[in-house]
Every structure is written in structure tokens, then in C-alpha cells.
Amino acid sequence: MSEQIAAIHDGVIGGVGEAINEQLDRLFDEADKYLRRALDGNSAKLEAALADIRAAKVEMREEIRTELRAELRAEITDRVALINQPADGTAGPRGEKGEPGSLPMVESYNAGRVYYRGNVVTDQTGSYQAKRDTATAPCPESEDWTCLARSGADGKDGRTFRPRGTYDPSKDYKRLDITMLNGSSFVALRDDPGPCPGENWQLVASAGKRGQQGPKGERGPTGPLASAPRIASTDIDAGYNLNLLYTDGSSETIPLRAAFEQFFSETGA
């Protein structure tokens, strides 16, 4: 409303100003012609008179325009005050419930096909919805497509703990390998972790301390006496071997030749 009033205000002032300017121009043109006739032959006086007329014209035009502007503003303000300002209306009745909405079907993108506004397509880079009818290929930077979801990068195979038995300095160990050393277990924090234990190994479980000695058990009952075999007979054969025969049937041979030779050598017999 205020913008419309301002437009009316400027239009009225402009129209009135133009009408006044036309009347002033006509008045001063007639005065100019009169002075030229009256001062014909005296150009110096004529130019001075014309200069005065022009200055008076400019001053009078500004005074009239200022007075008209102030009067018109006051008149417009009074009239606007008489206008009944519109009031907000009451809320209308609630509309009927619409049908359940549904998302557009997603289809694989086919190069060269024309897609229409709202179509949803997917390709190896992600999913897209058309902003307008288009035949351009979808991409995240396209002005014809809105990127709904971008494809993620391929992941790497995950690692898990891998038991490697007792620690062996000659083996190659990888991250998350578990090894045993002196009753404790360690896990490698990176590939090629170096000697264990070390800064690239994490202690998982340490060996427990040796427990206290338990109480002495009671002595068991005495067993039956052992029956050791006895010598049943002995003899020395021609080779200076002592042959022993035991009561259980077993036998044993003890060579004596070297012993006799050493004896006779030492005694000189």
C-alpha cells in the first residue's frame, strides 16, 4: 500500500510540475520577445536583461515546486488517513486430505535418452533427479540434475587377529598377528613390527607368577620287596671273558683281557 501511495504522490507532483514549467516557459518566451523588440540595436543591454530573466525564471520555478510539493504531501497524507486499512481475514476451512504421495521410481541411466523433470536415475557415480527436461548425462556438477546420493569408494579387506604361535625372530609378522613369548602374548601394532617385545608390540596377556608350593602329601603304603636275580654260575673262557649266568636265566659277559694285559704290564710279571 505504501509503495502505491508513493507512486501516486510522485506522479501527481511530476504532472503538476510539468504544467507549471510549460506556463513559465510560455511567460518568459513572451517576455523575451518583448524585450528583444524594445531593446533592438542594443545587444549588451539585451544580453544583461536576458540573463536576469533566466535567473528569475530558475528561482521562481524552484519556489513554486517547493510550495507545491509541501501542499501535495499534506493533501495526500490527509486523504490516505481516510482510507480504511485492510484487516487480515479469518482462516478458511481445512481442505480434504490428499492421496498418499509416492517417490518416483529409480531407473538405470541410459545415454542418449531424454529424461523429464522429476525423473530419478542411477549410474556408477550415484543417484540423480532431473531438474528439467534434459538429455545430458547426470553428474554432481550438472545444472540439469540434482545429486541425491554419491557412490562411495571401494573399501579394503579388513584385518582381524591372527594367532602365529610361539614368537620366532626369523618370521615375518603383520599387523594384528598374535604371538607367545615366555608365557605372555603380544599383538603386532603394524607390519614388520621388529623384535618382540618392543614399541611396536602390545602386551595382551602376561604370564602369571609361580604359585606357592602346596602341602606335602602323605606317604603311601610299602610295596612288596623286589626280587633281584642272583648269579647262578660263572666261568672264564679262552678269550679272558667272564661269563655270568643268573637265576632268572639271563646272562652277562664282562671282557677281562684288557684288564689282565694292563696288570701284567704294570707288575712286570
Side-chain angles (χ1 to χ4, degrees):
M1 177 66 72
S2 58
E3 295 178 356
Q4 295 176 352
I5 292 173
I8 295 172
H9 173 272
D10 294 338
V12 171
I13 292 177
V16 174
E18 291 296 331
I20 293 173
N21 288 335
E22 291 178 1
Q23 293 295 332
L24 288 174
D25 290 340
R26 188 178 301 108
L27 175 62
F28 285 108
D29 286 342
E30 293 177 357
D32 180 62
K33 293 177 182 178
Y34 172 77
L35 289 173
R36 286 182 182 277
R37 289 194 301 269
L39 299 175
D40 188 20
N42 194 341
S43 59
K45 291 181 180 181
L46 177 60
E47 291 299 330
L50 291 175
D52 292 339
I53 291 172
R54 293 191 187 97
K57 176 182 178 182
V58 172
E59 183 178 355
M60 185 179 296
R61 178 176 296 172
E62 287 300 322
E63 291 178 355
I64 294 173
R65 183 175 297 169
T66 300
E67 292 178 0
L68 282 175
R69 187 177 290 114
E71 292 178 0
L72 286 173
R73 282 202 184 102
E75 181 67 20
I76 292 173
T77 300
D78 293 341
R79 292 185 178 276
V80 169
L82 299 176
I83 299 175
N84 294 327
Q85 298 296 327
D88 294 337
T90 58
R94 185 183 182 91
E96 296 181 0
K97 185 177 180 180
E99 297 180 359
S102 60
L103 294 175
M105 297 296 295
V106 181
E107 53 185 314
S108 299
Y109 172 73
N110 293 322
R113 175 182 167 184
V114 176
Y115 289 92
Y116 301 97
R117 183 176 181 273
N119 288 161
V120 178
V121 299
T122 182
D123 62 6
Q124 68 274 11
T125 64
S127 299
Y128 304 87
Q129 186 172 31
K131 298 178 182 178
R132 58 180 67 89
D133 298 349
T134 180
T136 61
C139 67
E141 296 77 19
S142 175
E143 295 182 356
D144 293 347
W145 296 91
T146 297
C147 182
L148 302 178
R150 298 191 67 170
S151 299
D154 293 338
K156 297 181 179 179
D157 293 336
R159 285 187 178 181
T160 186
F161 294 108
R162 184 175 62 155
R164 296 292 305 278
T166 303
Y167 176 71
D168 185 350
S170 63
K171 289 183 180 180
D172 292 332
Y173 291 95
K174 303 296 182 181
R175 185 171 67 89
L176 298 183
D177 283 354
I178 298 178
T179 186
M180 297 291 296
L181 179 65
N182 297 329
S184 299
S185 59
F186 299 84
V187 59
L189 300 178
R190 70 171 194 180
D191 294 345
D192 300 325
C196 178
E199 62 179 3
N200 296 318
W201 291 91
Q202 174 64 51
L203 176 65
V204 178
S206 60
K209 295 181 180 180
R210 182 167 182 165
Q212 296 180 353
Q213 184 176 0
K216 186 176 181 179
E218 297 181 357
R219 183 172 183 173
T222 303
L225 294 176
S227 57
R230 295 188 301 274
I231 298 175
S233 63
T234 62
D235 69 77
I236 298 176
D237 59 18
Y240 297 97
N241 296 315
L242 175 61
N243 299 311
L244 302 176
L245 178 64
Y246 295 98
T247 56
D248 61 355
S250 61
S251 61
E252 186 179 3
T253 300
I254 301 174
L256 297 177
R257 187 182 187 87
F260 282 118
E261 290 178 350
Q262 183 178 357
F263 173 77
F264 287 123
S265 175
E266 292 177 354
T267 59

Coordinates of all heavy atoms in Angstrom, one line a residue, residues 159-160 162 164 171-177 187-195 200-201:
R159 N 41.1 -56.6 8.5 CA 42.0 -57.5 9.1 C 41.5 -57.8 10.5 O 40.7 -57.1 11.1 CB 43.4 -56.8 9.3 CG 44.3 -56.8 8.1 CD 45.7 -56.3 8.4 NE 46.5 -56.3 7.2 CZ 47.8 -55.9 7.2 NH1 48.4 -55.6 8.4 NH2 48.5 -55.9 6.1
T160 N 41.8 -59.0 11.0 CA 41.4 -59.5 12.3 C 42.6 -60.1 13.0 O 43.7 -60.3 12.3 CB 40.3 -60.4 12.2 OG1 39.8 -60.7 13.5 CG2 40.7 -61.7 11.5
R162 N 45.3 -62.7 14.3 CA 45.7 -64.0 13.7 C 46.8 -64.6 14.6 O 47.9 -64.0 14.7 CB 46.3 -63.7 12.3 CG 46.7 -65.0 11.6 CD 47.1 -64.8 10.2 NE 48.3 -63.9 10.1 CZ 49.2 -63.9 9.1 NH1 48.9 -64.7 8.0 NH2 50.2 -63.1 9.1
R164 N 49.9 -66.6 15.7 CA 51.0 -67.1 15.0 C 51.9 -68.0 15.8 O 53.1 -68.3 15.4 CB 51.9 -65.9 14.5 CG 51.1 -65.0 13.5 CD 50.9 -65.6 12.2 NE 52.2 -66.1 11.6 CZ 53.0 -65.4 10.9 NH1 52.8 -64.1 10.8 NH2 54.1 -65.9 10.4
K171 N 60.6 -65.1 11.6 CA 59.3 -65.0 10.9 C 59.0 -63.5 10.6 O 59.5 -62.6 11.3 CB 58.2 -65.6 11.7 CG 58.2 -67.1 11.8 CD 57.0 -67.6 12.6 CE 57.0 -69.1 12.7 NZ 55.8 -69.6 13.4
D172 N 58.2 -63.3 9.5 CA 57.7 -62.0 9.2 C 56.3 -61.9 9.8 O 55.4 -62.7 9.6 CB 57.6 -61.8 7.6 CG 58.9 -61.8 7.0 OD1 59.9 -61.3 7.7 OD2 59.0 -62.2 5.8
Y173 N 56.1 -60.8 10.6 CA 54.8 -60.6 11.3 C 54.1 -59.4 10.7 O 54.8 -58.4 10.3 CB 55.1 -60.4 12.8 CG 55.5 -61.7 13.5 CD1 56.9 -61.9 13.7 CD2 54.6 -62.6 13.9 CE1 57.3 -63.1 14.3 CE2 55.0 -63.8 14.6 CZ 56.4 -64.0 14.7 OH 56.8 -65.2 15.4
K174 N 52.8 -59.4 10.6 CA 52.0 -58.3 10.1 C 51.1 -57.8 11.3 O 51.1 -58.3 12.4 CB 51.0 -58.9 9.0 CG 51.7 -59.5 7.9 CD 52.6 -58.5 7.1 CE 53.3 -59.2 5.9 NZ 54.2 -58.2 5.2
R175 N 50.5 -56.7 11.0 CA 49.7 -56.0 12.0 C 48.5 -57.0 12.4 O 47.9 -57.6 11.6 CB 49.1 -54.7 11.4 CG 48.3 -53.9 12.5 CD 47.9 -52.5 11.9 NE 46.9 -52.7 10.8 CZ 45.6 -52.7 11.0 NH1 45.1 -52.5 12.2 NH2 44.8 -52.8 9.9
L176 N 48.3 -57.0 13.7 CA 47.3 -57.8 14.4 C 47.7 -59.3 14.5 O 46.9 -60.1 15.0 CB 45.9 -57.7 13.7 CG 45.3 -56.3 13.7 CD1 43.9 -56.4 13.1 CD2 45.2 -55.7 15.1
D177 N 48.9 -59.7 14.2 CA 49.4 -61.0 14.4 C 49.7 -61.1 16.0 O 50.2 -60.2 16.6 CB 50.7 -61.3 13.7 CG 50.5 -61.6 12.2 OD1 49.3 -61.6 11.8 OD2 51.5 -61.7 11.5
V187 N 50.5 -58.6 20.6 CA 49.9 -58.4 19.3 C 50.7 -57.3 18.5 O 51.1 -56.3 19.1 CB 48.4 -58.0 19.4 CG1 48.2 -56.7 20.2 CG2 47.7 -57.8 18.0
A188 N 50.9 -57.5 17.2 CA 51.7 -56.6 16.5 C 50.8 -55.4 16.1 O 49.7 -55.5 15.7 CB 52.2 -57.2 15.2
L189 N 51.4 -54.2 16.3 CA 50.7 -52.9 16.1 C 50.9 -52.4 14.6 O 50.1 -51.5 14.2 CB 51.2 -51.8 17.0 CG 51.0 -52.1 18.5 CD1 51.6 -51.0 19.4 CD2 49.5 -52.3 18.8
R190 N 51.8 -53.0 13.9 CA 52.0 -52.7 12.5 C 52.7 -53.8 11.8 O 53.1 -54.8 12.4 CB 52.8 -51.4 12.4 CG 54.2 -51.6 12.8 CD 55.1 -50.3 12.5 NE 56.5 -50.7 12.5 CZ 57.5 -49.8 12.3 NH1 57.2 -48.5 12.0 NH2 58.7 -50.1 12.4
D191 N 52.7 -53.7 10.4 CA 53.5 -54.7 9.7 C 55.0 -54.5 10.0 O 55.5 -53.4 10.2 CB 53.3 -54.5 8.2 CG 51.8 -54.7 7.8 OD1 51.1 -55.4 8.6 OD2 51.4 -54.3 6.7
D192 N 55.7 -55.6 10.0 CA 57.2 -55.6 10.3 C 57.4 -54.9 11.6 O 58.1 -53.9 11.7 CB 58.0 -55.0 9.2 CG 57.8 -55.7 7.8 OD1 57.7 -57.0 7.9 OD2 57.8 -55.0 6.8
P193 N 56.9 -55.4 12.7 CA 57.0 -54.7 14.0 C 58.3 -54.7 14.7 O 58.5 -54.0 15.6 CB 55.9 -55.4 14.9 CG 55.9 -56.8 14.3 CD 56.1 -56.7 12.8
G194 N 59.2 -55.6 14.2 CA 60.6 -55.7 14.8 C 60.6 -56.7 15.9 O 59.6 -57.4 16.1
P195 N 61.7 -56.6 16.7 CA 61.8 -57.6 17.8 C 60.7 -57.5 18.8 O 60.2 -56.4 19.1 CB 63.1 -57.3 18.4 CG 63.9 -56.5 17.4 CD 62.8 -55.8 16.6
N200 N 56.5 -51.6 19.0 CA 55.5 -51.9 18.0 C 54.7 -53.2 18.4 O 54.0 -53.7 17.5 CB 56.1 -52.1 16.6 CG 56.8 -50.8 16.2 OD1 56.2 -49.7 16.3 ND2 58.0 -50.9 15.6
W201 N 54.8 -53.7 19.6 CA 54.1 -54.8 20.1 C 53.3 -54.4 21.3 O 53.8 -53.6 22.1 CB 55.0 -56.0 20.5 CG 55.7 -56.6 19.3 CD1 56.9 -56.3 18.8 CD2 55.2 -57.7 18.6 NE1 57.2 -57.1 17.7 CE2 56.2 -58.0 17.6 CE3 54.1 -58.5 18.7 CZ2 56.0 -59.1 16.7 CZ3 53.9 -59.5 17.8 CH2 54.9 -59.8 16.8

